[in-house]
Amino acid sequence: MKTRIYKSEDLNKKEVQEDIKNTLLSGRNVIFPTETVYGIGAYALSEKGIKGIYEVKGRPSDNPLIMHISNNTDIYKYTCDHQAYVEDLIQAFWPGPLTLVLKKKAQVPYIITGGLETVGVRMPSHPIALKVLDISDIPICAPSANISGKPSSTLFEHVLEDFKDRVDIMIDGGKSQVGIESTVLDVTAKIPVILRPGVITKEMLETVVPQVIGGKIHTSDDIPKAPGMKYRHYAPKGDLMVVDGNIDQVISYITKQINTTDSKNQIGVICTTDLKEAFTGAFVYSIGEPNQEEEIASNLFAALRAMDKANIETIYAIAFHEGKYKDALMNRLMKAANQQIIKL
Ligand code: AMP
Ligand code: MG
């Protein structure tokens, strides 16, 4: 298969629009950017298209997919039994990086819900994602466009690395703005529960709903509430450890590792820009100024992928304890590290 690659401006051409629509309707896959990460899309009601996603990603079949819609009101077509506050959340946060888990209607196939009675639904805000939904006029399931287990794709080159000539169409939308996946919120009960933290935080949700449960860092002792949470995720090829302590302790610990390692084994460090010069001899990837959380979130997955490209076998990442995205960042880092943390 030879992948057809389109750019944003191509989406105004009639023949490209037809190609995207026909590809999805015939049960094949289209990769497109969203504001969170790149998604690999299939027509939600096409068994062939959905199977294609699971196959090409190598995704376990009990890890459900998020259904993307381009119109708020479509949520009523596919889900039912809404709590009164659901509409308030939609008004406040859609389009945007918030997935709502609701009771599904019969027409939503179990193949996308991993056999569950609920389905996750989101209206993305990225203009290309919305355009793809509008052109095709169908609901689209679009999990992150990465081989299962690897870091999500936030740059077009990541998508090429994983899927070139393995899907029909890819749309290049440059860098993902948010860079980590949507907040997943179970809204089936009176009090909503955060199943996966994201940039729409518990505090932000609580400006709309009086109480929200969860949002803390997921550790291996928790019972996974979103089926996908039990799987290894975001993992680089090398062995990643999160290092948690004050800045001086972290620098001295990592420096010691750099100085005592076998010289053939270069160590990788993921840190904020202020620490860039602190780790001589290591492969350092700085992901943003300490107070620039948006920038840090948008660069995290690129940092993990850069470690793979440089064939780094041992990676240390500094822990994040400050700022509104700390739960979302630590959730991704701890999974990438397979829960390995060094507390100093
Ligand atoms: P991804 O599409 O790769 O961003 O992963 C989707 C995430 O949403 C996974 O962690 C899923 O387990 C979670 N998810 C999707 N649908 C549901 C659902 N019906 N109930 C609980 N979690 C869900
Ligand atoms: Mg994913």
Side-chain angles (χ1 to χ4, degrees):
M1 173 194 299
K2 177 118 183 72
T3 299
R4 303 185 289 291
I5 296 174
Y6 297 131
K7 297 223 177 267
S8 172
E9 55 272 22
D10 295 328
L11 302 193
N12 296 322
K13 296 178 193 154
K14 191 106 194 93
E15 67 274 17
V16 173
Q17 295 183 358
E18 290 290 313
D19 190 18
I20 290 170
K21 180 173 184 165
N22 292 336
T23 299
L24 287 165
L25 283 176
S26 63
R28 283 170 291 136
N29 303 123
V30 174
I31 292 183
F32 57 87
T34 81
E35 73 277 23
T36 57
V37 299
Y38 275 81
I40 173 166
Y43 176 23
L45 307 182
S46 157
E47 193 171 322
K48 182 177 162 208
I50 300 298
K51 277 194 175 146
I53 288 182
Y54 281 104
E55 264 167 42
V56 78
K57 277 191 60 126
R59 184 174 172 110
S61 63
D62 65 345
N63 188 1
L65 306 178
I66 294 169
M67 198 164 89
H68 292 65
I69 55 177
S70 64
N71 196 326
N72 279 353
T73 53
D74 281 354
I75 197 163
Y76 298 102
K77 281 196 206 161
Y78 304 110
T79 63
C80 56
D81 296 356
H82 291 189
Q83 303 285 333
Y85 66 75
V86 169
E87 188 59 39
D88 300 335
L89 289 171
I90 290 172
Q91 292 305 323
F93 297 111
W94 277 12
L98 176 67
T99 296
L100 299 174
V101 172
L102 289 148
K103 188 165 177 348
K104 76 174 194 73
K105 281 192 175 167
Q107 59 165 313
V108 175
Y110 286 111
I111 184 172
I112 73 174
T113 72
L116 298 172
E117 290 302 329
T118 54
V119 62
V121 185
R122 169 168 113 83
M123 178 178 171
S125 65
H126 195 293
I128 295 180
L130 287 171
K131 182 102 183 170
V132 169
L133 285 158
D134 280 338
I135 289 168
S136 29
D137 199 22
I138 49 173
I140 296 176
C141 285
S144 51
N146 53 277
I147 303 292
S148 203
K150 278 182 68 165
S152 304
S153 295
T154 51
L155 295 172
F156 190 64
E157 67 184 65
H158 300 158
V159 165
L160 289 172
E161 249 163 50
D162 283 10
F163 296 114
K164 178 129 187 351
D165 296 335
R166 298 185 62 215
V167 298
D168 283 79
I169 295 177
M170 291 178 175
I171 306 171
D172 181 352
K175 187 181 177 187
S176 301
Q177 197 194 344
V178 174
I180 53 180
E181 304 84 349
S182 60
T183 304
V184 178
L185 188 70
D186 183 333
V187 292
T188 54
K190 284 232 145 42
I191 302 175
V193 181
I194 296 176
L195 303 180
R196 175 175 73 186
V199 300
I200 300 204
T201 62
K202 178 173 152 81
E203 291 70 29
M204 288 161 76
L205 294 165
E206 283 178 343
T207 63
V208 176
V209 198
Q211 193 191 350
V212 175
I213 298 171
K216 284 274 163 282
I217 301 155
H218 175 70
T219 70
S220 52
D221 324 319
D222 295 339
I223 297 161
K225 294 183 195 79
M229 286 165 95
K230 68 175 178 278
Y231 293 108
R232 184 106 197 258
H233 245 104
Y234 319 120
K237 289 190 211 119
D239 195 25
L240 170 67
M241 277 152 285
V242 180
V243 187
D244 186 7
N246 69 42
I247 287 191
D248 293 336
Q249 289 172 319
V250 169
I251 293 175
S252 108
Y253 178 83
I254 298 176
T255 305
K256 197 163 156 211
Q257 306 311 308
I258 296 169
N259 292 338
T260 52
T261 189
D262 177 341
S263 59
K264 287 194 296 295
N265 176 19
Q266 195 185 25
I267 282 184
V269 180
I270 299 175
C271 61
T272 44
T273 317
D274 54 321
L275 303 181
K276 202 163 82 181
E277 313 294 337
F279 306 108
T280 321
F283 177 81
V284 179
Y285 196 108
S286 65
I287 57 176
E289 299 291 335
N291 55 353
Q292 296 294 314
E293 298 172 343
E294 276 85 6
E295 191 190 354
I296 291 173
S298 73
N299 288 326
L300 181 62
F301 291 135
L304 295 171
R305 282 186 179 250
M307 294 292 154
D308 282 358
K309 260 220 154 122
N311 290 315
I312 304 293
E313 286 173 18
T314 308
I315 308 159
Y316 295 97
I318 59 162
F320 293 95
H321 286 305
E322 302 296 326
K324 59 182 196 281
Y325 295 171
K326 60 182 186 303
D327 290 331
L329 289 168
M330 282 301 278
N331 169 275
R332 304 314 189 273
L333 257 188
M334 288 299 286
K335 277 192 211 168
N338 205 12
Q339 310 298 330
Q340 299 185 93
I341 186 159
I342 295 152
K343 289 202 188 263
L344 300 172

